[in-house]
Amino acid sequence: MPGGSLLPFSSVSPLGSAGGGLGPGCSPGGGVSGPGLLSLGSAGRKLSGFRLTEKFVLLLVFSGFITLCFGAIFFLPDSSKLLSGVFFQQSPPPQRPPAGLLGEEETELGGRLARIREEHERALREAKDTLNRPPDDIKRDIQRDKDRILVQGRVTAGGKLPPHVFKQPVGVVGKEPSDPAVKQKRDTIKEMMKFSWDNYKRYAWGMNELKPIQKQGHSSNLFGNIQGATIVDALDTLYIMGMMDEFKDAKEWVEKNLEFNVNAEVSVFEVNIRFVGGLLSAYYISGEEVFRRKAVELGEKLLPAFNTPTGIPWALLNIKSGIGRNWPWASGGSSILAEFGTLHLEFMHLTQVSGNPVFAEKVMNIRKVLNRLDKPQGLYPNYLNPSSGQWGQHHVSVGGLGDSYYEYLLKAWLMSDKTDEEAKKMYYESVQAVETHLIRKSSSGLTYIAEWKGGLLEHKMGHLTCFAGGMFALGADGAPEDKTGHHIELAAEIARTCHESYDRTTMKLGPEAFRFDGGVEAIATRQNEKYYILRPEVIETYMYMWRFTHDPKYRQWGWEAVQALEKYCRVEGGYSGVRDVYSAHPNHDDVQQSFYLAETLKYLYLLFSDDDLLPLEHWIFNTEAHPLPIITKSDTIQNGKSK
């Protein structure tokens, strides 16, 4: 157990004291003397005057006292204190601290004991669950952990991974747009990226994010003590925009400074999509080995998050201790659907680049757990308890808390070169349930996706939900029963609604959430929903709709967003979010989010690029817009594994 015994010992046993004396027969110097005992030499001489039985009794008494003395020294809980007093000169006992200080120490000690007991009880529960599992499952887990340890040993011993056949990427550098007007707009977006990057480098280099008004670094507790989120998030954007000097600087920082050995709690979800996703993407587009090594190293450090009775990972993980927990506000200690459901793409690729099957097994187990559960009305609630394996509160959303789970079902199928039939089935069944129970039309004909709470609809749609237009378009080609056209129409309707949420504000930037009740449509009615933090989801949908339809209105809408960003979010030291998009005068939040460089500017750049830059038949974007290649059968065989 950490910290030793569960119970504190502030005083010694009745058999001894901190000073080391064990009674009248044991001296502090460690010898056996005093009036109660004879020296061993004199004892031998006097024994000759006794009968045999008397000798035997005396020897028993001697041996009893000796055993008592030395047994107390070596086996009492405070034996270290006794030894220091018996065999060494003992300094005077320390003065008792003041009452106030003692109270603080006792409170702190009580807290530590409570945590120890909690971890102990959790370990017992997990052990009990393990014993109740089928023997074949236990054997498989043991073999999986052996495989992981073997690979990890290779990584940590020499910093080397098993060989991986790097395949030259397709379409990571596209040609210039032939239309001069389109080229000029794309050049403007590249300049926005350079302005964001240069200011980050000038004022916050090595920190997670930039505060562009105060001109200093900003670090979110989502990443614990891991630093450099903007650097890792921006790597692939820099590369595809041809900003090679900046990419070289970023790579050098990663090589020399990106460290994961931190004693801090991180969000497994955020670290996965930004750091693991960013490093994998940088490897796949550049072939630089440092990115593969760092991605696998970080992936291994996230594995303890899966040490729950069900294998559903914790939301938060202390990377050093491996102890995980969930957000305290989540329903009954539950894990969140959009967090544990948004690991699949990255972990499948971690297995691909490391040769270690444990990453893929972890995320496939999540799917197995979800498949066993009954879904209310075919819907996936946002909360799942990782200990019981049961749903928490029945709250369903395609926005925050649920969004990227559905995205990753579709993309898992596409990334598998359309061989993952289970993911395909789960995606289209969930879309059908969402369309039946959540998708509604306003009185003026705007299609929106509401939220479902215990059977009741809340007619609110979040900015995060606007990614769904792009998702429906991306999945239209594989839709069942000749529903391809219907899914494209649904995607176009969602894109229009989200554009309306922008167009109906003063700044022409979208609010965090907008409502369809009380006589309003596509408008935020609550003050805490009126902010815009440089989010990408609406522009993401424009990009997908452009790729699939080439309707010029999507580029027009994207350019409107560029002009609004330049007018209201650009400040002297970078780009900042705003607190109220309905105000004519921006009140900045003073944060340049890392996802602004990873997603918003990347999707804008792709919107004004030809389709040969990161073509969708070869690349899948993770939920942080990091491109990952489709895994073909030949890729798997070349890297030493068989499907």
Side-chain angles (χ1 to χ4, degrees):
M1 292 293 292
S5 171
L6 287 175
L7 296 175
F9 289 89
S10 56
S11 59
V12 297
S13 157
L15 292 175
S17 67
L22 295 176
C26 293
S27 72
V32 183
S33 63
L37 292 175
L38 300 171
S39 71
L40 292 177
S42 63
R45 290 191 297 272
K46 288 185 181 270
L47 283 173
S48 60
F50 293 102
R51 291 193 299 271
L52 183 61
T53 56
E54 292 170 335
K55 293 177 183 179
F56 181 72
V57 169
L58 285 173
L59 284 171
L60 269 178
V61 171
F62 294 153
S63 61
F65 271 107
I66 291 169
T67 301
L68 179 64
C69 292
F70 285 95
I73 289 172
F74 287 105
F75 297 107
L76 280 177
D78 270 342
S79 59
S80 61
K81 293 181 181 178
L82 293 170
L83 284 170
S84 65
V86 173
F87 292 108
F88 304 101
Q89 183 64 37
Q90 181 72 13
S91 58
Q95 294 296 314
R96 183 177 178 83
L101 182 58
L102 185 61
E104 292 175 8
E105 290 178 348
E106 288 174 346
T107 301
E108 183 182 353
L109 181 59
R112 287 202 302 270
L113 289 173
R115 287 193 295 272
I116 291 170
R117 289 191 187 98
E118 182 182 346
E119 293 302 320
H120 179 65
E121 290 167 0
R122 184 198 295 174
L124 288 175
R125 287 196 304 270
E126 292 178 358
K128 183 179 178 182
D129 291 333
T130 298
L131 290 173
N132 289 332
R133 295 174 62 200
D136 289 344
D137 286 358
I138 296 173
K139 288 177 183 177
R140 187 173 61 250
D141 286 351
I142 292 171
Q143 186 58 48
R144 176 200 62 204
D145 290 339
K146 284 181 178 178
D147 293 340
R148 176 181 62 80
I149 291 167
L150 284 172
V151 174
Q152 186 174 4
R154 288 197 291 268
V155 176
T156 54
K160 294 182 180 179
L161 284 165
H164 177 259
V165 178
F166 177 73
K167 188 170 72 172
Q168 284 300 317
V170 177
V172 296
V173 179
K175 61 180 182 290
E176 293 283 343
S178 56
D179 185 333
V182 173
K183 180 182 181 304
Q184 184 179 17
K185 289 174 180 175
R186 195 177 82 154
D187 288 345
T188 297
I189 295 161
K190 181 175 177 179
E191 187 279 329
M192 293 167 70
M193 177 67 183
K194 182 165 176 55
F195 183 74
S196 304
W197 177 262
D198 287 348
N199 278 285
Y200 166 76
K201 188 175 181 184
R202 183 177 299 115
Y203 300 119
W205 186 243
M207 301 289 284
N208 280 320
E209 289 165 324
L210 165 68
K211 295 176 78 68
I213 295 174
Q214 295 186 44
K215 297 179 180 177
Q216 63 185 41
H218 169 72
S219 285
S220 166
N221 59 7
L222 294 172
F223 313 117
N225 294 335
I226 299 176
Q227 296 296 320
T230 292
I231 295 174
V232 177
D233 242 357
L235 281 164
D236 47 25
T237 308
L238 293 170
Y239 196 97
I240 67 167
M241 289 188 181
M243 299 171 65
M244 292 307 171
D245 289 340
E246 291 84 354
F247 179 83
K248 182 181 177 182
D249 291 340
K251 177 204 161 192
E252 186 176 332
W253 186 91
V254 168
E255 208 159 20
K256 294 180 178 178
N257 300 290
L258 184 59
E259 291 293 336
F260 307 126
N261 295 317
V262 296
N263 184 17
E265 203 171 52
V266 303
S267 163
V268 174
F269 164 75
E270 293 289 353
V271 167
N272 175 65
I273 65 171
R274 302 197 203 199
F275 284 90
V276 177
L279 290 165
L280 284 170
S281 177
Y283 168 67
Y284 279 121
I285 66 173
S286 72
E288 296 287 354
E289 187 67 18
V290 62
F291 300 130
R292 177 169 79 114
R293 180 166 49 84
K294 291 285 187 180
V296 175
E297 179 189 349
L298 180 54
E300 288 174 342
K301 290 187 179 297
L302 295 180
L303 287 174
F306 294 84
N307 292 339
T308 66
T310 59
I312 298 295
W314 300 111
L316 302 168
L317 177 72
N318 185 299
I319 284 189
K320 184 174 182 180
S321 70
I323 295 173
R325 67 182 178 98
N326 278 334
W327 298 105
W329 49 262
S331 173
S334 291
S335 299
I336 295 168
L337 182 69
E339 295 194 336
F340 68 77
T342 309
L343 303 168
H344 194 97
L345 305 186
E346 297 83 0
F347 272 56
M348 294 300 285
H349 270 289
L350 284 173
T351 285
Q352 189 71 16
V353 301
S354 70
N356 188 350
V358 69
F359 300 109
E361 289 168 359
K362 293 293 187 185
V363 291
M364 291 306 293
N365 177 68
I366 292 173
R367 189 184 292 177
K368 183 171 72 174
V369 171
L370 290 173
N371 270 331
R372 284 201 304 260
L373 291 169
D374 290 330
K375 287 84 179 172
Q377 307 294 321
L379 299 167
Y380 289 83
N382 292 339
Y383 301 107
L384 180 64
N385 189 293
S387 296
S388 68
Q390 298 301 312
W391 298 116
Q393 179 185 4
H394 281 195
H395 175 199
V396 178
S397 170
V398 184
L401 307 181
D403 49 5
S404 45
Y405 168 69
Y406 306 97
E407 173 190 359
Y408 271 40
L409 284 179
L410 171 63
K411 291 180 177 179
W413 173 56
L414 295 174
M415 194 179 78
S416 72
D417 206 14
K418 299 184 178 180
T419 61
D420 188 349
E421 290 294 328
E422 183 180 52
K424 177 184 179 182
K425 179 175 182 289
M426 293 172 73
Y427 169 72
Y428 288 109
E429 286 179 351
S430 66
V431 167
Q432 183 58 53
V434 165
E435 189 169 2
T436 301
H437 299 288
L438 272 62
I439 295 182
R440 296 290 183 267
K441 266 192 191 297
S442 71
S443 57
S444 69
L446 292 178
T447 300
Y448 62 95
I449 308 176
E451 298 190 4
W452 190 83
K453 295 186 176 180
L456 299 176
L457 284 183
E458 183 179 13
H459 297 274
K460 175 186 81 168
M461 184 169 173
H463 194 291
L464 290 166
T465 319
C466 286
F467 90 96
M471 178 180 74
F472 293 145
L474 183 62
D477 188 51
E481 300 174 12
D482 300 322
K483 288 189 175 180
T484 295
H486 172 67
H487 278 231
I488 283 287
E489 289 173 10
L490 184 58
E493 290 173 5
I494 295 296
R496 175 177 167 241
T497 297
C498 292
H499 175 255
E500 286 297 315
S501 77
Y502 273 52
D503 200 47
R504 296 181 185 194
T505 72
T506 304
M507 294 184 182
K508 306 303 178 187
L509 294 168
E512 182 69 6
F514 45 94
R515 295 181 179 266
F516 296 85
D517 54 20
V520 301
E521 294 187 5
I523 293 175
T525 57
R526 303 181 184 182
Q527 191 59 43
N528 65 354
E529 295 173 348
K530 295 181 178 180
Y531 61 88
Y532 172 71
I533 56 171
L534 309 175
R535 285 203 187 276
E537 290 79 20
V538 174
I539 293 162
E540 175 184 357
T541 282
Y542 295 165
M543 189 278 291
Y544 279 110
M545 293 307 296
W546 166 257
R547 286 281 179 104
F548 287 110
T549 70
H550 283 187
D551 187 328
K553 72 182 178 189
Y554 297 113
R555 280 184 166 174
Q556 177 191 333
W557 292 352
W559 187 245
E560 289 172 6
V562 168
Q563 292 174 309
L565 286 165
E566 289 292 274
K567 183 175 181 179
Y568 293 107
C569 297
R570 184 165 180 149
V571 295
E572 186 179 352
Y575 288 85
S576 168
V578 292
R579 292 191 170 93
D580 186 350
V581 293
Y582 298 95
S583 170
H585 305 287
N587 181 7
H588 295 106
D589 65 15
D590 197 20
V591 179
Q592 180 176 282
Q593 305 279 351
S594 77
F595 57 68
Y596 178 64
L597 291 79
E599 299 185 75
T600 310
L601 293 176
K602 182 188 286 120
Y603 283 134
L604 281 170
Y605 189 79
L606 292 173
L607 177 60
F608 290 94
S609 297
D610 292 346
D611 295 355
D612 64 347
L613 181 59
L614 298 178
L616 297 180
E617 59 268 28
H618 292 283
W619 297 92
I620 290 296
F621 293 94
N622 88 336
T623 201
E624 191 78 357
H626 294 307
L628 299 171
I630 287 171
I631 300 172
T632 65
K633 179 80 171 179
S634 62
D635 294 332
T636 308
I637 292 172
Q638 281 178 342
N639 289 292
K641 288 175 64 63
S642 173
K643 273 190 177 178

